[in-house]
Amino acid sequence: MLPYKSLIVIDRHSAIPVFVQVSEQLNQLIRNGTLAAGQRLPGTRQLAQLLDLNRQTVVAAYDEGLAQGWLESRAGSGTYVAAHVPEVRPQPVAVELPTSKANEQPGYYVQSLPFLKRPVLTNQAGLRLDDGFPDIRLAPMNELSRAYRSYFRWGNPQQHFGYGDTKGHPLLREQLSTHLNETRGLQTTLDNILITRGSIMGIHLSSQALLQPGDVVVTGETTWAGATMNFLKAGATVQTVPVDQHGIDVEALAALCERQPIRLVFVTPHHHYPTTVMLRMDRRVRLLQLANTFGFAILEDDYDYDFHYLSRPILPLASADRRGMVIYIGSLTKSVAPAFRIGYVVAPTAVIDELARLRRIIDRQGDPMLEFAVGQLFKSGELKRHFRKALRTYYARLDRFCDLLTSELTDRVQFGRPDGGLAIWTRFDRAIDMEAVAQRASRSGLFLSSGLAHNPPGQRLNGTRLGFASSTEAELEQSVMILKKVIW
């Protein structure tokens, strides 16, 4: 007989019931080959005596093993290890991993792609000069809560608590269509809109639909890494063109088009990421002409269009597109709050239909309740009121922040005052070590990015985005004082 008393150890202080402990340890003895297929187990009375347990505890343990299929009962004979359990041959100790390692590393190959290794930005507690996040404290939470509750009183429960349209809630798509047509000069219906969980999903779906391995995608030499990651994951080759104070160099793009086929051009024309410069009007016209001539698609990410401070902003490329060459992407993440995981893709209906089919295999649908609630906020005018209020607040914070940078960090930083958006692209003196500055600022209670992720290969911009919108004017003053201390 096996030494069951030493093989099965009972922890009477554990929250796990004793019969479960016995059952799991018996299963483990079977898995590692100590108990072989068809081997007879001790009777319940005998094992209870060996382990100093109540017989009913052992009966319950055996019943658990029978239910899970590790054991089988033979009438008039007793309990046995199930005959179907495969034979286990002991492996050399050298190839076995400790249990803790098995929780960390799989026993099979998983490709780790270097370009996917990118820090995840979160809203930091305390003072921050972030990437350009909105102030969550301004979000219309009470209005959203009321609209959310109204979902439970609306319509047919079978309909609105079941599966919905993969393209998104019709109310939100309809309201978004109206909003985009009024504010951005688009000409859409709800059939031109797909609701996504943020703009990144829209970029991912577009990449999967448009790109094949080997296709060429063109971006600015400074650009958003989140988009580039998706292009590379789709198997595309990413090439870049220069970016100056007027946006991407479209003549450099034209030269590329003459040399090779281009499948997709990714742009953030309203406020180029990360430098916030606006794509000049003549370059916008030229970019659309190139798309029509060479047949590439334009993926336009308009991540913060709602906040423009001087006058009516220049309309998106999509508003002047008459050939269906532009896929327009936006979200409410920067307009309201990052927790509002609502983005949208605007494109010809054939493209929207294909993106919706792709969306089904990764995410059957979005959040109908949230989408309904946000649609109600558009319909009631609450979101428009929020945009106006936030715009006034952010404009005042931009003024104050620019004054602080000018008065407190003279000769140490250079920046251009943006016409809109939620961050200022700031270049630091070349003698300043940005990584060290970010670390010292963090120890002093201020979060800011080192900006290293914005450097094109082989270049050192020594700049970063300093987000001002998520901080009050008093918080901005404290932040600049800390920044002044750590760079001097």
Side-chain angles (χ1 to χ4, degrees):
M1 177 174 293
L2 291 173
Y4 287 98
K5 188 169 181 63
S6 59
L7 291 174
I8 299 177
V9 179
I10 306 301
D11 180 0
R12 299 184 185 277
H13 299 289
S14 172
I16 300 174
V18 172
F19 82 93
V20 175
Q21 295 184 48
V22 174
S23 176
E24 289 181 349
Q25 292 182 63
L26 285 172
N27 295 347
Q28 183 60 41
L29 292 174
I30 297 170
R31 283 194 291 266
N32 63 27
T34 303
L35 291 173
Q39 184 170 340
R40 187 178 188 278
L41 297 182
T44 54
R45 195 183 312 280
Q46 183 181 11
L47 186 58
Q49 291 175 350
L50 289 171
L51 301 180
D52 193 23
L53 296 175
N54 184 286
R55 177 171 174 264
Q56 291 306 312
T57 301
V58 178
V59 170
Y62 279 9
D63 287 344
E64 184 74 11
L66 291 167
Q68 294 184 21
W70 290 103
L71 306 179
E72 61 185 24
S73 179
R74 300 179 187 175
S77 179
T79 303
Y80 292 78
V81 177
H84 61 75
V85 173
E87 180 182 359
V88 179
R89 297 183 182 274
Q91 298 292 319
V93 175
V95 301
E96 294 180 354
L97 287 174
T99 301
S100 60
K101 290 295 183 183
N103 288 338
E104 298 170 9
Q105 296 295 335
Y108 46 84
Y109 173 69
V110 177
Q111 185 181 19
S112 181
L113 300 173
F115 59 81
L116 294 182
K117 296 179 180 178
R118 174 170 165 257
V120 176
L121 293 178
T122 59
N123 275 71
Q124 302 292 317
L127 298 173
R128 58 198 172 275
L129 297 174
D130 50 41
D131 192 60
F133 297 159
D135 191 339
I136 297 168
R137 293 167 292 191
L138 300 181
M141 295 303 183
N142 291 333
E143 293 81 359
L144 176 67
S145 178
R146 287 196 295 269
Y148 207 98
R149 288 196 300 272
S150 72
Y151 186 82
F152 296 88
R153 304 188 299 270
W154 167 81
N156 181 348
Q158 287 281 56
Q159 181 181 11
H160 67 248
F161 285 107
Y163 285 117
D165 193 328
T166 305
K167 295 177 184 178
H169 198 287
L171 174 65
L172 178 56
R173 290 163 57 214
E174 179 183 308
Q175 292 300 317
L176 258 178
S177 175
T178 300
H179 175 70
L180 296 174
N181 293 347
E182 291 176 351
T183 62
R184 289 152 170 80
L186 304 186
Q187 299 177 26
T188 68
T189 70
L190 80 167
D191 292 325
N192 297 115
I193 295 176
L194 171 71
I195 304 300
T196 60
R197 292 186 189 273
S199 58
I200 191 70
M201 178 184 275
I203 292 173
H204 175 77
L205 293 174
S206 300
S207 300
Q208 294 299 310
L210 270 64
L211 300 176
Q212 298 292 327
D215 282 347
V216 175
V217 176
V218 178
T219 74
E221 62 180 1
T222 55
T223 191
W224 185 43
T228 303
M229 291 161 61
N230 275 284
F231 305 146
L232 294 173
K233 187 66 180 69
T237 298
V238 177
Q239 298 192 17
T240 63
V241 293
V243 178
D244 58 24
Q245 69 271 26
H246 302 301
I248 66 167
D249 185 341
V250 292
E251 294 310 319
L253 172 62
L256 276 180
C257 291
E258 294 289 352
R259 295 196 297 269
Q260 61 188 320
I262 305 297
R263 177 59 171 157
L264 179 70
V265 173
F266 174 73
V267 288
T268 51
H270 191 56
H271 299 120
H272 178 75
Y273 188 94
T275 63
T276 75
V277 298
M278 183 177 294
L279 185 62
R280 200 170 59 191
M281 182 56 70
D282 61 316
R283 295 192 183 187
R284 291 167 179 254
V285 173
R286 178 67 167 144
L287 178 57
L288 286 170
Q289 290 174 343
L290 290 173
N292 293 337
T293 300
F294 292 100
F296 58 75
I298 298 173
L299 188 58
E300 180 178 15
D301 181 5
D302 211 357
Y303 62 95
D304 60 3
Y305 184 91
D306 288 305
F307 301 115
H308 196 86
Y309 304 118
L310 298 183
S311 60
R312 182 177 175 83
I314 295 177
L315 294 176
L317 291 169
S319 69
D321 177 27
R322 297 296 177 263
R323 294 276 303 275
M325 308 304 291
V326 179
I327 297 176
Y328 182 77
I329 289 177
S331 83
L332 297 181
T333 295
K334 296 294 178 67
S335 300
V336 183
F340 282 61
R341 298 311 304 160
I342 291 183
Y344 50 88
V345 181
V346 180
T349 54
V351 176
I352 294 299
D353 290 344
E354 183 62 23
L355 297 185
R357 287 188 281 268
L358 281 171
R359 194 250 175 86
R360 284 192 66 185
I361 66 174
I362 61 170
D363 187 19
R364 169 60 177 77
Q365 65 187 53
D367 182 341
M369 288 179 277
L370 178 60
E371 292 174 10
F372 170 83
V374 174
Q376 287 284 57
L377 294 188
F378 270 115
K379 187 175 182 179
S380 68
E382 290 291 350
L383 271 184
K384 292 182 181 179
R385 284 189 284 275
H386 165 70
F387 293 151
R388 290 194 295 268
K389 174 184 175 183
L391 182 65
R392 291 193 298 271
T393 302
Y394 295 156
Y395 191 14
R397 291 176 183 180
L398 173 63
D399 277 343
R400 183 60 182 139
F401 192 45
C402 288
D403 289 345
L404 288 165
L405 291 178
T406 301
S407 63
E408 301 298 333
L409 302 179
T410 306
D411 300 328
R412 302 295 279 173
V413 302
Q414 293 180 333
F415 67 94
R417 180 191 173 97
D419 292 334
L422 307 181
I424 295 177
W425 173 249
T426 309
R427 300 283 292 268
F428 287 71
D429 187 285
R430 302 285 295 180
I432 295 173
D433 183 337
M434 289 299 298
E435 190 168 15
V437 164
Q439 292 172 356
R440 290 198 295 269
S442 179
R443 290 194 293 269
S444 298
L446 170 66
F447 167 81
L448 77 155
S449 167
S450 66
L452 298 181
H454 302 313
N455 290 337
Q459 296 187 45
R460 176 172 171 254
L461 301 179
N462 226 45
T464 193
R465 287 168 61 88
L466 299 180
F468 59 85
S470 60
S471 303
T472 66
E473 293 182 38
E475 290 166 344
L476 289 171
E477 292 173 10
Q478 297 175 59
S479 299
V480 171
M481 291 305 107
I482 291 174
L483 186 56
K484 178 178 180 179
K485 180 180 69 174
V486 299
I487 68 173
W488 239 274

